[in-house]
Amino acid sequence: MTDQPDLAALQRRLADFAAARKWQPFHIPKNLAVALSVEASELLEIFQWLTPEQAAAVMDDEGTAHRVRDEVADILAYLLQFCDVLGIDVLAALAAKIDRNELRFPRPDDPSE
Amino acid sequence: MTDQPDLAALQRRLADFAAARKWQPFHIPKNLAVALSVEASELLEIFQWLTPEQAAAVMDDEGTAHRVRDEVADILAYLLQFCDVLGIDVLAALAAKIDRNELRFPRPDDPSE
Amino acid sequence: MTDQPDLAALQRRLADFAAARKWQPFHIPKNLAVALSVEASELLEIFQWLTPEQAAAVMDDEGTAHRVRDEVADILAYLLQFCDVLGIDVLAALAAKIDRNELRFPRPDDPSE
Amino acid sequence: MTDQPDLAALQRRLADFAAARKWQPFHIPKNLAVALSVEASELLEIFQWLTPEQAAAVMDDEGTAHRVRDEVADILAYLLQFCDVLGIDVLAALAAKIDRNELRFPRPDDPSE
């Protein structure tokens, strides 16, 4: 019924997946931080020789679009696993960061007001 | 009453934040892919000289814990903004990737069965 | 007379520098590979929001030029230290790679011949 | 007769290689900074799930040793090409950086003196 998976459910699936395959000894914080960085570079690799215009059209080709979605998924997967093993609430961390950024970069005056 | 922000709401806050500051010309896909990779490296930098044991205890020191949460937030922020500008549903992408991984790495037999 | 330092001399200076400060326990291959990746991202960070045209003019501003040279130096430093601890001859590795690439990407016909 | 290639000669070979294949339009500073970061991550990927001990033994297996040398060569190649297009003398940059580091991290007293 619920088509849209939520973040917490995906995080539990990832933890179960790793546990069933006995991957926890590898999924230590330092290794997960490395893996996250490696996956972010794999996403970036898709863009490395593209002009900004070509990069903006990257989802028009189905093969490239699949690669992009695949790398995005890998990044989120390692981010969630990293946060899981260190007990970090990633949504709360992001909400707090946006709060701080709203103070750091005040909203410009709205000229229409 | 609901304290926990959801991913879609955070994604909208990030888009509003960038729009209010007229940052959209910078937030093109290639630049966001670069920024995501740079932030993942900033998280990794915290771990670079730590032993695996020291890395596992990184949240015990409040100053370091704050840095880790801050970098995790930046990574999620750029990931959500990247997905937003390219029209990618990041939760669906991750659910699909876990489905594929369950076929690629079959669950080992449960010896208790 | 020779002002220009050579690569081998710089590699020895780096090894002496680390040894005098007892940094060898940190300078293990995995950590040096992490540090090299982190430094390459610090160089990339300078370029993240620049257009290709702004990026090409990065040496025109003395402050930015200094940052670029500083990051380039850090990358070469960690690359040389990584190769030193693993016994890799980096110049021979690059010469061999160019040889392989000349076979893999044959030189296009010269239309003037 | 000359077994050891020098850095300047390799840098010229790389520039000729790119020119013959008309790759210069792609080899702009921003793209080369991205490529350098991507290659550093490819080296790091080899180490991501290894313990520090396994990482230290990475050259014992000929297949892995070849991969490591190959990635090291790619990193140096993009570093030299990046420096070439921006007119940076990478050896002078590193020598200057070591000079600065000797002031920033003074040599500890030698207890035998």
Side-chain angles (χ1 to χ4, degrees):
Chain A
M1 205 60 90
T2 162
D3 296 314
Q4 180 64 345
D6 77 2
L7 201 70
L10 290 168
Q11 198 164 22
R12 278 192 303 276
R13 271 186 82 185
L14 289 165
D16 290 346
F17 187 94
R21 285 152 191 82
K22 304 194 189 312
W23 288 355
Q24 299 111 319
F26 301 98
H27 283 193
I28 56 177
K30 184 163 178 166
N31 290 358
L32 289 168
V34 169
L36 181 49
S37 167
V38 166
E39 294 300 335
S41 274
E42 291 187 3
L43 177 64
L44 181 55
E45 188 183 8
I46 299 172
F47 293 89
Q48 68 185 334
W49 306 119
L50 302 186
T51 63
E53 294 71 30
Q54 291 169 329
V58 89
M59 303 305 285
D60 293 352
D61 174 73
E62 186 40 44
T64 312
H66 179 81
R67 273 180 75 197
V68 171
R69 281 191 297 262
D70 197 62
E71 297 300 348
V72 156
D74 283 338
I75 294 167
L76 184 57
Y78 283 124
L79 182 65
L80 292 177
Q81 291 177 96
F82 175 85
C83 289
D84 194 41
V85 300
L86 286 179
I88 297 167
D89 180 333
V90 66
L91 295 178
L94 178 53
K97 179 69 187 250
I98 300 175
D99 291 344
R100 287 197 299 279
N101 275 349
E102 285 175 339
L103 297 174
R104 189 176 158 209
F105 302 102
R107 198 179 187 89
D109 290 333
D110 184 338
S112 67
E113 286 175 2
Chain B
M1 205 56 93
T2 161
D3 297 313
Q4 180 63 349
D6 77 3
L7 201 70
L10 290 168
Q11 200 164 21
R12 279 191 303 274
R13 270 187 84 187
L14 290 164
D16 290 345
F17 187 94
R21 286 151 190 81
K22 304 196 190 307
W23 288 354
Q24 299 112 320
F26 302 98
H27 282 194
I28 55 177
K30 184 162 178 166
N31 290 358
L32 289 168
V34 169
L36 180 50
S37 167
V38 166
E39 294 299 335
S41 273
E42 291 187 3
L43 177 64
L44 182 54
E45 188 183 7
I46 299 172
F47 293 90
Q48 69 185 336
W49 305 119
L50 303 185
T51 64
E53 294 71 30
Q54 292 168 327
V58 90
M59 302 305 284
D60 293 353
D61 174 74
E62 186 39 44
T64 312
H66 179 81
R67 273 181 75 197
V68 171
R69 280 192 298 261
D70 196 62
E71 297 301 348
V72 156
D74 284 337
I75 294 166
L76 184 56
Y78 283 123
L79 183 64
L80 292 178
Q81 291 177 95
F82 175 86
C83 288
D84 195 40
V85 299
L86 286 179
I88 296 169
D89 180 335
V90 66
L91 295 178
L94 177 53
K97 178 69 186 248
I98 300 175
D99 290 344
R100 287 198 298 279
N101 275 348
E102 285 175 339
L103 297 174
R104 187 174 160 212
F105 303 102
R107 200 178 187 89
D109 290 334
D110 183 338
S112 67
E113 285 176 2
Chain C
M1 207 56 94
T2 163
D3 296 315
Q4 179 65 347
D6 77 2
L7 201 70
L10 290 169
Q11 198 164 23
R12 278 192 303 275
R13 271 186 83 187
L14 289 165
D16 290 346
F17 187 94
R21 285 151 191 83
K22 303 197 190 310
W23 286 355
Q24 300 111 320
F26 302 97
H27 282 195
I28 56 177
K30 185 163 178 166
N31 290 357
L32 290 167
V34 169
L36 180 50
S37 167
V38 166
E39 294 299 335
S41 274
E42 290 187 4
L43 177 64
L44 182 54
E45 189 183 7
I46 299 172
F47 293 90
Q48 69 185 335
W49 305 120
L50 304 185
T51 63
E53 294 70 30
Q54 292 168 328
V58 90
M59 303 305 284
D60 293 352
D61 174 73
E62 186 40 44
T64 313
H66 178 82
R67 273 181 76 198
V68 171
R69 281 191 297 262
D70 196 62
E71 297 301 347
V72 156
D74 283 338
I75 294 167
L76 184 57
Y78 283 124
L79 182 65
L80 292 178
Q81 290 177 95
F82 175 86
C83 289
D84 194 40
V85 298
L86 286 179
I88 295 168
D89 180 334
V90 67
L91 295 178
L94 177 53
K97 178 70 187 248
I98 300 176
D99 291 345
R100 287 197 298 279
N101 275 348
E102 286 175 338
L103 297 173
R104 190 176 157 210
F105 302 101
R107 200 181 187 88
D109 289 335
D110 184 338
S112 67
E113 284 177 5
Chain D
M1 203 59 92
T2 162
D3 296 315
Q4 180 64 347
D6 78 3
L7 202 69
L10 290 168
Q11 199 164 20
R12 278 191 303 274
R13 270 187 83 187
L14 289 165
D16 291 346
F17 187 93
R21 285 153 191 80
K22 305 197 190 309
W23 288 354
Q24 300 112 317
F26 302 98
H27 282 193
I28 56 178
K30 184 162 179 167
N31 289 358
L32 290 168
V34 170
L36 180 49
S37 167
V38 166
E39 294 300 335
S41 274
E42 291 187 4
L43 177 64
L44 181 55
E45 188 183 9
I46 300 172
F47 293 90
Q48 70 184 336
W49 305 120
L50 303 185
T51 63
E53 294 71 29
Q54 291 168 328
V58 89
M59 302 305 283
D60 293 353
D61 174 73
E62 186 41 44
T64 312
H66 179 81
R67 274 181 74 198
V68 171
R69 281 191 298 260
D70 196 62
E71 297 300 347
V72 156
D74 284 337
I75 294 167
L76 184 57
Y78 284 123
L79 183 65
L80 292 177
Q81 291 177 94
F82 175 86
C83 289
D84 194 40
V85 298
L86 286 178
I88 296 168
D89 180 334
V90 66
L91 294 178
L94 178 52
K97 177 70 186 249
I98 300 175
D99 291 344
R100 287 197 298 279
N101 275 348
E102 284 175 340
L103 297 173
R104 187 174 159 212
F105 303 103
R107 200 181 187 89
D109 290 335
D110 184 338
S112 68
E113 283 175 4

